Amino acid sequence: MKKVFFFLMMAVSLSAQKTEVVELKQSIKDRKGTTKSITVIDNRSEKEIGNIPFRKETYTLKFGTDDLKNYIEDWFSKDNKVKGNNDIVLMLEDVKAYNENPEDKTSMTKIKFKFSSFIKRNNKYYFLNRIQNVITSDSNFPKYIASQISNAVTGMIKESYVSVPLGGAMSEEDLTNYEKYITENSPLFGGKELKDGVYKDFRSFYEQKPEPNYVTDKNKKGRVTNIKDTNATLNEEVIDNKQVFGYIENGKAYRSTPAGYLEMIKDDRGFYVVATKAELFPVNNGTGAMIGAMTGGLLGAVIGAAIDSGSSRRGKNVDTSGMPNVYMDSLTGSYIFD
């Protein structure tokens, strides 16, 4: 009788747990035909993506194969018959899906990503791009979660085709601690004084190369309202705040956001702004938009480019004591949410 009861319990347990496969089937064709190969370094400490609840059942999320390295490399070869000269290295560092309160039906699944890419030239490696974030999904539907993970991997690969190398050359051994190696040798984090001026994008900010002829325009209260190009023709001198990354004044850095220019404070973790997620992303475009922002890398580091920053500008006397510190990825400028 005990054996029958045991097997019944096992059957119930197995029936309540299902598997959702993350399929990597989207096209990753390099439209410009510049890439020769993709080599994958799978550094994930845990190969399982995670278990998530949905409608009284538990779903195990997993990739369609345990050998993700060969699968992605073959995926690239099948989608790219015409090849170029660039050898790209894709490093998989972390992929997790979890629900912090699975008993609560309103609790949403979180997805944690960390992927990095490099280009290999003459046995040296140069950083290209990175996704490093935790997003809260706007749906707990397992197929939707799986599709977002697939979108992130696909987007990361496609963005790497067009990314421009950042920082100096690294050896293969340096890849194990690439962020420390790159930042320690950078103008932004190397301990030098920050250069005053206006910066069009994160790359110029990282390289400490302010835009010539760009100046800040202030109102009577001393707040920066616009950026001006002193070389532009009449009526075209005003640069939209959405088209710049930020500026530095008297050694202090400020980032352009939908809430206005917010001070970028630096500590041992990097730069951060004190703001809510709603201030940085005032329009909820769903998880898909977050994936897009995450994979934008160096080309899309000006977050909120499609948002009217004036409509959400923060008041001067707003209490920020309860707001979180939102850090920026030290290699891409993207916001990192916990």
Side-chain angles (χ1 to χ4, degrees), residues 38-246:
I38 287 182
T39 301
V40 176
I41 300 174
D42 192 351
N43 280 349
R44 293 174 297 153
S45 58
E46 296 180 16
K47 306 304 181 185
E48 290 187 0
I49 298 174
N51 299 316
I52 59 171
F54 183 69
R55 293 181 180 175
K56 298 182 180 181
E57 294 182 312
T58 299
Y59 284 76
T60 298
L61 284 162
K62 59 184 295 185
F63 287 105
T65 175
D66 291 332
D67 188 1
L68 208 53
K69 171 180 168 60
N70 284 327
Y71 184 89
I72 293 177
E73 292 173 2
D74 290 343
W75 180 25
F76 170 82
S77 295
K78 291 175 182 176
D79 281 1
N80 292 274
K81 303 302 181 184
V82 177
K83 295 179 173 62
N85 298 314
N86 293 339
D87 292 309
I88 290 177
V89 176
L90 176 66
M91 183 183 292
L92 307 177
E93 299 170 77
D94 203 3
V95 189
K96 285 292 177 188
Y98 56 93
N99 193 307
E100 294 177 329
N101 192 3
E103 301 300 322
D104 183 356
K105 293 182 180 180
T106 63
S107 180
M108 304 306 291
T109 297
K110 290 189 175 184
I111 313 171
K112 182 180 182 181
F113 302 97
K114 190 175 183 182
F115 310 142
S116 302
S117 62
F118 309 84
I119 188 169
K120 184 179 180 181
R121 293 174 178 165
N122 300 319
N123 290 322
K124 293 293 183 180
Y125 298 82
Y126 301 82
F127 175 81
L128 288 178
N129 201 358
R130 178 164 72 176
I131 294 176
Q132 180 183 211
N133 224 320
V134 177
I135 64 170
T136 301
S137 176
D138 44 15
S139 171
N140 283 333
F141 187 44
K143 282 190 180 298
Y144 181 76
I145 302 296
S147 71
Q148 295 311 299
I149 296 172
S150 176
N151 289 344
V153 177
T154 302
M156 179 66 183
I157 292 172
K158 287 184 174 181
E159 183 67 24
S160 297
Y161 295 151
V162 296
S163 295
V164 178
L166 181 77
M170 294 178 286
S171 67
E172 188 171 354
E173 291 74 24
D174 294 328
L175 290 181
T176 57
N177 201 11
Y178 66 90
E179 181 172 4
K180 182 179 179 182
Y181 181 90
I182 296 171
T183 54
E184 283 183 347
N185 292 281
S186 74
L188 182 61
F189 296 98
K192 297 180 181 179
E193 186 175 338
L194 299 180
K195 293 182 181 179
D196 284 4
V198 177
Y199 295 84
K200 288 186 68 174
D201 50 32
F202 175 75
R203 177 176 290 276
S204 63
F205 180 68
Y206 177 90
E207 295 176 344
Q208 284 294 278
K209 294 180 179 179
E211 191 69 16
N213 309 313
Y214 276 32
V215 296
T216 56
D217 186 27
K218 299 181 180 181
N219 60 18
K220 294 180 180 180
K221 296 181 180 180
R223 296 186 69 182
V224 173
T225 55
N226 290 297
I227 303 298
K228 285 188 175 181
D229 183 352
T230 57
N231 269 7
T233 57
L234 187 65
N235 298 324
E236 293 184 0
E237 69 274 16
V238 176
I239 306 298
D240 196 305
N241 293 322
K242 295 175 290 188
Q243 296 178 9
V244 299
F245 179 80

